[in-house]
Amino acid sequence: MSERRGMFSTIAEWVGVFLIAFAVFALIRTFVLSPFTVPTGSMEPTIQVGDTIFAQKVTLNMGHDVENGQIVVFENPVAGTEHDILVKRVIAQSGQTVDLIDGVVYIDGSPLDEPYAQGSSYELVTQAPGVEVSFPYTVPDGYIWVMGDNRENSADSRYFGPVPKENLIGIAFFRYWPIDRIGTL
């Protein structure tokens, strides 16, 4: 009888350990840190297709804004597309004016220094259904302007317009796969 009680106690202890570990994992993934696999080549050469990155959520969960130049993970503002989650670089904030002149991005009249960008930044020929973006464009309150680093191969805010801040999931900060490209972003 005591042998059964001992076995039951051991099983209950292990179940408790697994439940606690799962709860900690769920809390961390929900509020602190999540992994994401990059679905497209729009961030090349900075991030390659299939790279797996960590995005921290603490900054957003504490009510802080993202900063220009940061790489963010967000819900695709265009419903029903192949990719529900996108990764792009923040270019402008609410109230800032974006302009594209001769392939160069201007924010509030000043050209951006973008050593990370590949290709030229021109207006896209087509835009998402129902979206009309013309330049110069002032980002509305509660939104950000994002663009992929691979400017000639990126469906970004030039395509789907500004991204609502409520669509932000996290700020990308570390690539952990593949091993030969491990490092901060």
Side-chain angles (χ1 to χ4, degrees):
M1 181 84 155
S2 67
E3 190 174 304
R4 282 188 198 176
R5 187 173 292 155
M7 190 166 72
F8 178 74
S9 177
T10 301
I11 291 171
E13 286 176 19
W14 277 106
V15 168
V17 167
F18 283 120
L19 288 175
I20 290 170
F22 179 76
V24 169
F25 171 78
L27 285 171
I28 289 172
R29 180 124 189 213
T30 301
F31 298 108
V32 179
L33 183 76
S34 285
F36 295 94
T37 301
V38 177
T40 70
S42 69
M43 284 301 293
E44 291 176 347
T46 308
I47 304 172
Q48 306 293 314
V49 176
D51 283 2
T52 306
I53 59 174
F54 277 126
Q56 63 91 359
K57 300 177 175 185
V58 175
T59 302
L60 300 174
N61 287 335
M62 293 181 71
H64 298 289
D65 283 332
V66 295
E67 298 175 8
N68 290 359
Q70 290 181 317
I71 298 171
V72 293
V73 178
F74 60 96
E75 296 171 16
N76 191 339
V78 180
T81 61
E82 182 181 352
H83 306 292
D84 295 334
I85 305 295
L86 298 176
V87 179
K88 308 281 184 199
R89 189 176 300 273
V90 177
I91 300 300
Q93 304 287 324
S94 300
Q96 291 185 307
T97 300
V98 179
D99 205 355
L100 306 177
I101 302 170
D102 297 328
V104 177
V105 178
Y106 286 77
I107 302 298
D108 295 333
S110 298
L112 284 184
D113 178 26
E114 299 184 290
Y116 47 78
Q118 176 178 301
S120 298
S121 304
Y122 291 104
E123 292 184 47
L124 299 181
V125 177
T126 60
Q127 294 176 337
V131 173
E132 289 185 35
V133 175
S134 60
F135 297 92
Y137 181 87
T138 301
V139 181
D141 284 341
Y143 289 79
I144 59 171
W145 186 271
V146 297
M147 295 176 76
D149 288 357
N150 187 355
R151 296 295 164 79
E152 295 176 7
N153 187 25
S154 179
D156 47 38
S157 286
R158 297 171 294 168
Y159 175 72
F160 48 66
V163 175
K165 289 182 180 179
E166 62 198 31
N167 284 27
L168 293 174
I169 296 170
I171 300 169
F173 73 97
F174 189 80
R175 174 186 17 243
Y176 71 91
W177 189 260
I179 290 181
D180 64 333
R181 290 196 301 268
I182 287 178
T184 57
L185 300 172

